[in-house]
Amino acid sequence: MDMHTSSPDPRYYDALVIGAGFGGLYQLYCLRERLGMSVLVLEAADGVGGTWYWNRYPGARCDSESHGYCYTFSDDLVREWEWSERYPGQPEVLRYLNHVADRFDLRRDIRLDCRVKSARFDEVENLWRVETDAGERYAARFLITAVGCLSSANIPDIPGLDGFKGDWYHTGEWPHQGVDFTAKRVGQIGTGSTGIQAAPVIAADAAHLTVFQRTANYSVPARNGPMDPAIRRQIKERYHEIREAMHLSPNGHPFLISERKAVETDPAEREALYEEAWEKGGLRFRAVFQDLLVDQAANDTASEFLKSKIMATVDDPAVGEILAKIDHPFATKRPPIDTDYFETFNLPNVSLVDLRADPIECILPNGIKTRSREFDLDILVFATGFDAMTGTLLKIEIEGRDGRTLREAWKEGPRTYLGLQVDGFPNLFTVTGPGSPSVLTNMPVAIEQHVEWITDCIAAMRNNGAASIEATADAVSDWVAHVNACADATLMPKAGHSWYLGANVPGKPRVFMPYPGGMHRYREICAQVAANAYEGFVLR
Ligand code: NA7
């Protein structure tokens, strides 16, 4: 497999990896250190970190708890690294990923400032030929995308943005030097996980913050705080147990989901359990009952509880009503967690606009015009999310066998086998691709599982003398049907405007993209596929 390494142009590697975030760093490590392959990582940014490189907006913080939001492949790394808070802030996760890059000597095989423009499969040579924006050319037997699920900013096409005289930013492309909100009138569009984190921090500095809300959202307090040294010690002592729990869990988080059902619990006791979960805070709230995502009646009990908390927190009942007018079942869109989000609307310098009642018409040179009002603003913050899961892959011109592009293959929505491969695209693997549990899980757990599966697959190919692996069209069709059946067994498709369905981007096909059958089940399916001689794939 060590081919043509001396050829100057294009430069040949055994594998090319796109992206130097959690996925790309670990993929490089596995292929180089475990299989001895020549690998190059191509990264558009001028630093490693992926999501955590780009998302530097005020309040950016991980919603997974820090002791679960990290690599588990190296016991030494787990032992050495000290998280400072219950949830790591963006700078801390970025420091961690930089530490990993240094500790495992990864930088020498990472090319920064290098955006991949196209990748074409050369059938004659059985190679992927990759070209960057700068015209550099590379070739490799294997192409592995580790581009992240939330890495293409969704900036809504609102008329007038070009003429805006103030400054505007998307949260996912935040300036590295930060933004000074002092004495500024700020307009924030979007109240997803990002907007809910950003608003309280922006409000602390801005002269005035106006939050433009299209869809009201649930949120549970994160209850962040410094990591207690005793808890840190316990976590380190019990790390193998915690890793095991994350591997066995449907969502990859280091906590168990209760076996109780909300609908079978006495209402007073149920309320007490919700209260207790609310006090503990964070994504664990969902784990208080097992039936919240599959039974509307169960979900109603959680959503009523959460709506009552909004009304109890917000001083002005008219504002509370707008925030609590939520149109989808709890956790059918990504459930945010927060620090003082609803409390922020009690501040004198914060106001809320209900875009359902008063939609944005255009952006004016000095602010935003809704149907009935004009808002003078100095800074606009777009917390408007991402062209999730497919956006970044489709921006690269990926062309497989017979000149068929990924864009053509996915014109009616992404179609993959296991979220790992697409028929017609041999030796192309997509880390946390659509059709895999990815965004429904604690991401590093999903990433480690994918990277290790890909590494084992390439090792098996090498042992069997296979030079190419490709998912069959039947395996792809069956997998897509299975993903849909799993989604239909939950309440998730009921959130018609969710980015899980691609509904946040105008014109994007509506397909439920992540695999909702559970990480534990998915892990077993992938292991079984490998054990059955990579059934569903053709190896040549
Ligand atoms: P999300 O969850 O996609 O949230 C985006 C928000 O922006 C959401 O409230 C949207 O309202 C709103 N939005 C999007 N376009 C518009 C327009 N045109 N007008 C008004 N409001 C708009 O993205 P986040 O960045 O918050 O979170 C993404 C993930 O990152 C998150 O789930 C975590 O995994 C980390 P809508 O709901 O579409 O009506």
Side-chain angles (χ1 to χ4, degrees):
M1 239 183 258
D2 292 315
M3 352 161 253
H4 317 301
T5 36
S6 60
S7 177
D9 185 26
R11 285 159 60 196
Y12 288 89
Y13 293 86
D14 294 332
L16 288 168
V17 176
I18 310 178
F22 258 102
L25 293 179
Y26 186 40
Q27 190 69 74
L28 165 60
Y29 173 82
C30 285
L31 296 181
R32 194 182 77 187
E33 302 301 322
R34 297 191 185 150
L35 303 190
M37 291 168 68
S38 65
V39 186
L40 184 69
V41 177
L42 303 170
E43 166 57 59
D46 69 3
V48 303
T51 291
W52 300 101
Y53 173 94
W54 295 105
N55 282 270
R56 300 176 189 233
Y57 60 86
R61 185 175 293 284
C62 185
D63 286 347
S64 293
E65 296 182 39
S66 52
H67 64 288
Y69 197 79
C70 49
Y71 294 112
T72 64
F73 70 88
S74 159
D75 285 350
D76 289 343
L77 177 63
V78 168
R79 231 184 337 267
E80 288 158 15
W81 185 263
E82 308 262 290
W83 294 107
S84 67
E85 292 176 277
R86 179 174 172 188
Y87 305 90
Q90 174 272 334
E92 191 165 23
V93 188
L94 189 58
R95 269 200 307 281
Y96 172 75
L97 290 170
N98 274 283
H99 169 72
V100 168
D102 291 330
R103 192 191 185 293
F104 297 102
D105 189 22
L106 300 177
R107 293 188 199 276
R108 66 185 152 99
D109 292 314
I110 301 172
R111 188 135 166 66
L112 299 172
D113 272 323
C114 181
R115 185 176 288 279
V116 173
K117 187 175 83 176
S118 64
R120 294 202 161 71
F121 184 64
D122 176 337
E123 288 183 59
V124 177
E125 300 280 340
N126 186 28
L127 286 175
W128 278 95
R129 296 194 176 277
V130 168
E131 191 167 338
T132 69
D133 266 357
E136 292 165 340
R137 294 191 297 135
Y138 300 93
R141 169 80 21 107
F142 295 99
L143 177 63
I144 301 165
T145 63
V147 295
C149 296
L150 298 158
S151 48
S152 276
N154 172 38
I155 299 168
D157 189 15
I158 304 174
L161 181 57
D162 285 353
F164 182 61
K165 292 258 184 332
D167 296 320
W168 66 268
Y169 309 94
H170 185 278
T171 51
E173 295 173 351
W174 202 257
H176 289 195
Q177 67 279 16
V179 175
D180 185 2
F181 293 107
T182 317
K184 302 287 188 196
R185 296 160 303 175
V186 182
Q188 175 188 308
I189 303 176
T191 52
S193 300
T194 299
I196 282 177
Q197 287 186 338
V201 184
I202 296 174
D205 289 343
H208 194 91
L209 171 67
T210 308
V211 175
F212 294 86
Q213 171 191 283
R214 188 164 68 181
T215 304
N217 220 337
Y218 302 95
S219 187
V220 173
R223 312 268 181 227
N224 189 33
M227 181 73 91
D228 181 315
I231 291 185
R232 180 188 285 134
R233 210 171 34 252
Q234 278 175 27
I235 289 170
K236 294 211 178 196
E237 281 165 11
R238 294 183 40 231
Y239 202 74
H240 288 107
E241 247 174 83
I242 291 169
R243 178 166 55 194
E244 177 82 359
M246 293 196 292
H247 283 185
L248 291 175
S249 118
N251 55 28
H253 285 285
F255 51 78
L256 296 174
I257 297 175
S258 164
E259 289 183 0
R260 302 180 72 137
K261 291 188 172 179
V263 288
E264 290 172 1
T265 306
D266 165 74
E269 191 186 359
R270 189 169 60 211
E271 199 69 7
L273 288 168
Y274 280 139
E275 278 294 347
E276 195 188 325
W278 174 264
E279 284 312 315
K280 283 190 188 147
L283 293 175
R284 288 168 188 261
F285 185 86
R286 270 180 312 176
V288 64
F289 295 112
Q290 56 129 310
D291 51 351
L292 297 183
L293 265 175
V294 291
D295 182 340
Q296 183 66 57
N299 195 291
D300 287 347
T301 65
S303 35
E304 275 156 28
F305 176 87
L306 292 170
K307 288 175 186 175
S308 74
K309 286 291 183 193
I310 299 174
M311 293 309 291
T313 307
V314 179
D315 295 342
D316 180 343
V319 175
E321 290 274 336
I322 297 170
L323 291 165
K325 209 168 53 183
I326 308 175
D327 64 357
H328 52 279
F330 169 60
T332 54
K333 292 177 90 166
R334 164 69 153 72
I337 66 173
D338 69 275
T339 299
D340 295 337
Y341 177 63
F342 295 115
E343 289 82 348
T344 296
F345 293 93
N346 296 335
L347 298 174
N349 66 329
V350 176
S351 46
L352 177 67
V353 178
D354 178 4
L355 296 181
R356 289 281 167 91
D358 193 12
I360 293 177
E361 286 195 336
C362 63
I363 294 174
L364 302 168
N366 59 336
I368 286 181
K369 179 177 181 337
T370 62
R371 190 189 290 153
S372 71
R373 283 187 64 187
E374 284 184 20
F375 298 85
D376 285 340
L377 299 165
D378 306 306
I379 297 179
L380 301 183
V381 174
F382 288 92
T384 44
F386 301 88
D387 184 351
M389 305 206 71
T390 57
T392 308
L393 286 171
L394 292 176
K395 271 186 196 158
I396 304 170
E397 294 161 36
I398 299 180
E399 193 179 292
R401 269 193 301 105
D402 307 322
R404 180 165 155 264
T405 63
L406 191 63
R407 196 165 272 285
E408 283 158 4
W410 286 3
K411 65 177 182 300
E412 276 155 23
R415 294 174 56 80
T416 69
Y417 180 36
L418 302 171
L420 277 162
Q421 266 219 340
V422 185
D423 55 305
F425 297 80
N427 293 348
L428 170 68
F429 294 101
T430 49
V431 175
T432 65
S436 73
S438 57
V439 292
L440 299 178
T441 72
N442 179 30
M443 284 303 288
V445 172
I447 286 168
E448 281 194 332
Q449 185 265 342
H450 257 192
V451 166
E452 287 164 11
W453 191 95
I454 292 166
T455 307
D456 291 347
C457 173
I458 293 175
M461 290 174 68
R462 188 149 69 175
N463 290 340
N464 297 326
S468 127
I469 180 166
E470 180 185 341
T472 67
D474 283 349
V476 169
S477 292
D478 290 350
W479 185 252
V480 170
H482 175 61
V483 174
N484 284 326
C486 290
D488 289 340
T490 73
L491 301 173
M492 283 196 266
K494 288 200 174 190
H497 37 58
S498 121
W499 58 258
Y500 294 157
L501 273 167
N504 63 327
V505 175
K508 187 165 171 169
R510 299 222 173 171
V511 170
F512 197 85
M513 293 185 288
Y515 173 72
M519 187 65 216
H520 57 326
R521 186 165 161 209
Y522 175 82
R523 183 186 295 279
E524 275 171 25
I525 295 171
C526 290
Q528 206 53 50
V529 164
N532 292 344
Y534 291 93
E535 99 190 284
F537 294 96
V538 174
L539 282 89
R540 292 193 185 88

